[in-house]
Amino acid sequence: MPGDRTLRLQHGNRIEALCVLGTHISADVYGAAPAGAVSFSVKHTEGVSVEVAHQGQEEVESAPSSGMQWPLDEGTVLRFSMSQASTEVNDNKVTVSFYAEGGQPINQAGVFLTGIGISLDVDADRDGVVEKNNPNKASWTWGPEGHGAILLVSCDKESPFTPTSDCDDERVFSKEDLLDMSQMVLRTEGPQRLPRGYEIVLYIPVSDADKVGVFHVQNPFFGQRYIHVLGQRKLYHTVQYTGGAAELDFFIEGLRFPDDTFSGLVSIHVSLLETLAEGIPHTPVFTDTVVFRVAPWIMTPNTLAPVNVFVCSMKDNYLFIKEIKNLVNKAGCELKACFGYINRGDRWMQEEMEFGYTHAPHKSFPVVLDSPRDGGLEQFPVKELLGPDFGYVIREPLFEAITSLDSFGNLEVSPPVTVAGKEYPLGRILIGSSFPTSAGRRMTRVVRDFLYAQQVQAPVELYSDWLSVGHVDEFVTFVPTSDTKRFRMLMASPAACYKLFREKQKEGQGEATMFKGYLGTDTKRVTINKVLSNDILAQQNQYVQRCIDWNRDVLKKELGLTEVDIIDLPALFKLDKQGKAVPYFPNMVTMIVLAKDLGIPKPFGPVMGGECCLERQTRSLLEPLGLCCRFLEEVASYHGRLGEVRCGTNVQRRPFAFKWWHVTP
């Protein structure tokens, strides 16, 4: 609560003042005394508590209304407080009498007091109830024992008639809008009117004007209207005082997610102002403050249950969509196809956007993060996804050039991990970048800053610039398991592929042929022997393996993993003319994960006994973990264009049950 307020008494005068319940008014008795005064007494009405504080003494004395005298020493202060609101203006008073030597009365100073209750309240303990005067409402702390109110960014669109999301609009079209907002209550108690010269004002700092919006219900009994009172160009709002015990409801929305210039914290204040006379500016006599944190955007890892799978319908991927539909049906989720009129020839659904969500104690809804890449799918997130309880956010650079690393195949998130005793209950974001010592491609700064600013999924930067496309999902992914670890990390591994091929060669299978039924490749027959005898390919894959191992070491350290948590899937790469790696055969790591059902790019590896040895090896690694492998033929529609199954699909998942505000960043 605010500290003492100073009031200047005047001998020979009676002044008027408002006393806010729960606060103290301090008055310097010595400074108000007339010449010759050596002692004083205090009388007061029952509604006022008075204490006497002497200079240099911590203890204060309670002043009864009997009129007992105290010596008048320099630094003596009276402290007034009231515990009940007044029913009328000036219905309480304090009278200070001053005495000369011998107890002769000299003069008096008086103050008429009006008690008023003012409390700006929010859900500071995060239980869905706006409690009165929570002592922690003006601060915000993380963790299970933390406190502080939470705001959602109104980034969805409740009305089909608005061109943009709700946070860009200063109107409320329906009560559904209000359900996204956090409630704030201004509770007042006092006489039917405020004394002349007083008013109550709600306001926000200039720095928060573009981060928070406040709405107030008007005419609650005659067709409710919700008026925008704070935010953007509106910095203050004069509150209509109604008298008696009253509660004024306000609804608060976040306008921006945290980013590099915004920590996520916003404050709202209410002040009681007074003016001495008309034409004289107001001064504050009491201020109450509440603090909110804007809820972050949160990514969902492969270990969370799938809800919807999105894929683009193209002229050449009919069979692929048919296979995906079978997989989706088996996994118990829904397939949503994006047709040509909206995808405009762009098949890379994963590259365009990343699904996440935002969450507060009163509500949670999905939010899609739109990548700055802007291919043919540019309009899809806004036109097809943004809507009631489905939010949208984008971060675009003003001057930086967009590269392949800005597509969201280059954005992953791990399952929950514990690293050296520190818990990351929402996992850690993984983004691909250039090698620390090189000036290669990186994800654009505005997107990286946005991801770091969310705080609850501390990002890890990996080295992916060695790849032609440059995405982290080309060499690492995660699958759920039912054991105590709950997941495994899968990594592409040329070393594992060469080891498998050498074993098959020793078994006399060196002439087993790759790429049978593979469309779009040249007609040369490729065998295990040819692959193993290709020294250039071997050198290139040694280089690739070193790049992957560098990332492997970073991931083990930053995710707290050991070798038993990692599964190596056979993979081969070749270098293009720019020295960047591309898959030699469809890359199985770039799979779609739908709970225990995996949609894996069909690798077209060496066939032995009617079965691809790469598929058999992958099954032997994953099926003992309770996973079901389905190999999808996607060469013509994806692999031939330097993409795989995951690149052409996107999965919306259920949110975490864990409450992000219990994180300790």
Side-chain angles (χ1 to χ4, degrees):
M1 290 297 297
D4 287 1
R5 170 191 164 207
T6 298
L7 186 68
R8 296 192 179 276
L9 297 176
Q10 301 168 6
H11 66 268
N13 283 319
R14 292 186 185 273
I15 60 176
E16 298 178 2
L18 279 187
C19 181
V20 178
L21 306 187
T23 68
H24 289 92
I25 296 176
S26 296
D28 178 5
V29 184
Y30 184 84
V38 295
S39 63
F40 70 96
S41 67
V42 180
K43 285 189 176 183
H44 57 86
T45 52
E46 285 185 6
V48 186
S49 297
V50 181
E51 297 172 332
V52 180
H54 301 282
Q55 189 173 30
Q57 297 181 16
E58 287 189 16
E59 291 187 14
V60 295
E61 298 179 66
S62 178
S65 57
S66 59
M68 69 173 286
Q69 292 186 22
W70 278 274
L72 186 64
D73 299 322
E74 186 174 357
T76 301
V77 172
L78 291 182
R79 298 178 74 215
F80 315 144
S81 63
M82 296 181 67
S83 58
Q84 285 191 325
S86 295
T87 54
E88 296 180 10
V89 172
N90 296 334
D91 63 355
N92 282 275
K93 65 179 180 179
V94 177
T95 303
V96 182
S97 300
F98 297 99
Y99 305 92
E101 289 282 359
Q104 184 71 24
I106 301 178
N107 210 331
Q108 288 184 328
V111 55
F112 286 100
L113 292 171
T114 303
I116 181 170
I118 302 178
S119 178
L120 190 60
D121 295 319
V122 292
D123 179 17
D125 57 5
R126 306 164 183 166
D127 64 354
V129 178
V130 179
E131 60 276 356
K132 186 174 182 180
N133 239 342
N134 187 302
N136 297 317
K137 65 185 180 181
S139 60
W140 210 98
T141 58
W142 296 90
E145 305 303 318
H147 61 259
I150 293 166
L151 275 186
L152 291 176
V153 177
S154 294
C155 56
D156 63 340
K157 187 172 79 164
E158 301 294 349
S159 170
F161 306 111
T162 56
T164 55
S165 56
D166 292 341
C167 59
D168 296 322
D169 200 315
E170 295 178 2
R171 294 169 294 175
V172 171
F173 285 94
S174 67
K175 289 193 173 182
E176 282 68 35
D177 270 348
L178 300 180
L179 297 177
D180 296 346
M181 301 185 194
S182 296
Q183 196 174 1
M184 179 176 75
V185 178
L186 176 60
R187 293 180 167 103
T188 56
E189 190 179 2
Q192 290 306 305
R193 61 175 181 83
L194 289 176
R196 189 173 186 150
Y198 287 92
E199 66 180 24
I200 298 173
V201 171
L202 202 66
Y203 64 97
I204 55 175
V206 176
S207 58
D208 288 349
D210 62 341
K211 302 175 181 73
V212 65
V214 180
F215 293 84
H216 175 50
V217 61
Q218 203 174 66
N219 299 328
F221 302 108
F222 303 101
Q224 293 180 334
R225 293 176 62 221
Y226 299 94
I227 309 300
H228 182 258
V229 295
L230 289 177
Q232 302 294 8
R233 298 167 303 283
K234 300 170 186 171
L235 297 180
Y236 69 93
H237 169 68
T238 302
V239 176
Q240 184 178 357
Y241 177 79
T242 56
E247 293 189 356
L248 297 180
D249 290 330
F250 295 87
F251 297 90
I252 323 297
E253 67 176 355
L255 303 182
R256 281 174 53 189
F257 282 100
D259 57 34
D260 64 321
T261 60
F262 173 40
S263 69
L265 293 177
V266 294
S267 59
I268 302 176
H269 312 273
V270 65
S271 281
L272 176 66
L273 305 180
E274 70 173 349
T275 184
L276 297 174
E278 196 170 332
I280 302 294
H282 286 89
T283 54
V285 297
F286 168 80
T287 297
D288 205 11
T289 297
V290 294
V291 170
F292 290 90
R293 181 175 289 280
V294 175
W297 179 77
I298 302 170
M299 286 182 66
T300 52
N302 287 349
T303 48
L304 291 175
V307 178
N308 293 310
V309 177
F310 294 82
V311 64
C312 287
S313 177
M314 314 297 291
K315 291 179 180 178
D316 60 3
N317 74 343
Y318 169 77
L319 292 176
F320 174 75
I321 288 183
K322 192 175 178 182
E323 287 193 80
I324 281 287
K325 186 171 180 59
N326 291 335
L327 181 72
V328 166
N329 289 342
K330 188 169 181 288
C333 48
E334 192 173 338
L335 182 68
K336 294 184 179 290
C338 169
F339 296 98
Y341 72 94
I342 192 75
N343 68 49
R344 297 184 299 172
D346 185 357
R347 69 189 64 222
W348 307 115
M349 187 63 81
Q350 175 62 45
E351 315 309 339
E352 181 60 37
M353 61 192 185
E354 185 67 47
F355 287 106
Y357 69 97
T358 190
H359 177 41
H362 65 281
K363 189 165 184 181
S364 173
F365 59 82
V367 179
V368 62
L369 175 64
D370 194 356
S371 85
R373 99 186 239 276
D374 288 347
L377 279 164
E378 176 184 3
Q379 294 298 315
F380 176 75
V382 174
K383 289 189 174 180
E384 300 294 316
L385 298 178
L386 174 62
D389 291 340
F390 207 120
Y392 170 86
V393 62
I394 187 169
R395 287 292 183 271
E396 294 180 292
L398 290 176
F399 305 111
E400 274 185 277
I402 303 300
T403 72
S404 172
L405 272 67
D406 294 309
S407 299
F408 285 164
N410 196 33
L411 180 59
E412 259 283 7
V413 64
S414 79
V417 292
T418 300
V419 185
K422 180 171 176 54
E423 294 184 355
Y424 296 91
L426 301 174
R428 299 191 69 177
I429 288 172
L430 309 179
I431 53 178
S433 194
S434 56
F435 198 67
T437 58
S438 71
R441 298 169 296 173
R442 297 188 79 187
M443 182 178 282
T444 186
R445 174 175 288 278
V446 70
V447 176
R448 274 188 292 127
D449 287 347
F450 173 82
L451 297 172
Y452 277 94
Q454 306 314 303
Q455 295 194 67
V456 295
Q457 295 176 305
V460 178
E461 289 199 43
L462 300 174
Y463 171 41
S464 66
D465 190 33
W466 55 274
L467 287 151
S468 175
V469 176
H471 294 174
V472 291
D473 69 359
E474 296 178 79
F475 61 85
V476 63
T477 193
F478 300 89
V479 293
T481 60
S482 54
D483 56 12
T484 53
K485 187 65 183 180
R486 312 300 298 172
F487 72 92
R488 294 291 188 276
M489 183 171 76
L490 310 185
M491 298 201 79
S493 175
C497 188
Y498 273 98
K499 180 183 178 186
L500 177 65
F501 281 9
R502 288 191 189 101
E503 288 174 358
K504 297 305 174 188
Q505 188 183 51
K506 283 184 180 178
E507 293 170 6
Q509 302 286 349
E511 287 302 307
T513 305
M514 298 181 68
F515 303 121
K516 279 189 176 179
Y518 182 95
L519 301 174
T521 186
D522 57 39
T523 55
K524 290 182 180 177
R525 181 168 172 264
V526 180
T527 63
I528 289 178
N529 289 336
K530 282 188 177 180
V531 170
L532 294 179
S533 63
N534 188 332
D535 293 338
I536 294 175
L537 187 66
Q539 285 181 343
Q540 291 177 351
N541 277 280
Q542 284 176 358
Y543 159 73
V544 166
Q545 187 65 61
R546 288 184 181 182
C547 294
I548 293 173
D549 286 345
W550 190 89
N551 288 299
R552 185 191 199 93
D553 293 337
V554 172
L555 288 164
K556 285 167 67 175
K557 177 185 175 186
E558 297 295 342
L559 301 184
L561 304 179
T562 63
E563 284 297 322
V564 297
D565 304 318
I566 303 171
I567 294 175
D568 290 313
L569 293 189
L572 286 182
F573 294 83
K574 57 187 177 182
L575 301 188
D576 62 16
K577 292 177 181 177
Q578 285 74 43
K580 302 292 186 182
V582 297
Y584 183 75
F585 55 77
N587 183 357
M588 293 185 289
V589 165
T590 316
M591 64 179 69
I592 180 173
V593 180
L594 305 177
K596 69 180 191 312
D597 294 297
L598 311 180
I600 304 172
K602 186 175 181 63
F604 291 95
V607 176
M608 304 165 194
E611 185 180 10
C612 166
C613 70
L614 294 174
E615 291 184 23
R616 187 190 305 135
Q617 176 73 358
T618 301
R619 288 185 198 277
S620 71
L621 293 168
L622 300 180
E623 289 183 348
L625 298 171
L627 300 167
C628 180
C629 302
R630 180 173 293 200
F631 293 91
L632 309 176
E633 200 283 288
E634 42 83 275
V635 171
S637 43
Y638 296 99
H639 177 75
R641 293 172 168 86
L642 298 184
E644 308 287 6
V645 172
R646 185 176 188 269
C647 315
T649 57
N650 209 321
V651 185
Q652 177 196 348
R653 301 181 184 277
R654 294 192 189 283
F656 281 101
F658 183 87
K659 297 170 181 175
W660 62 263
W661 50 91
H662 289 173
V663 169
T664 305

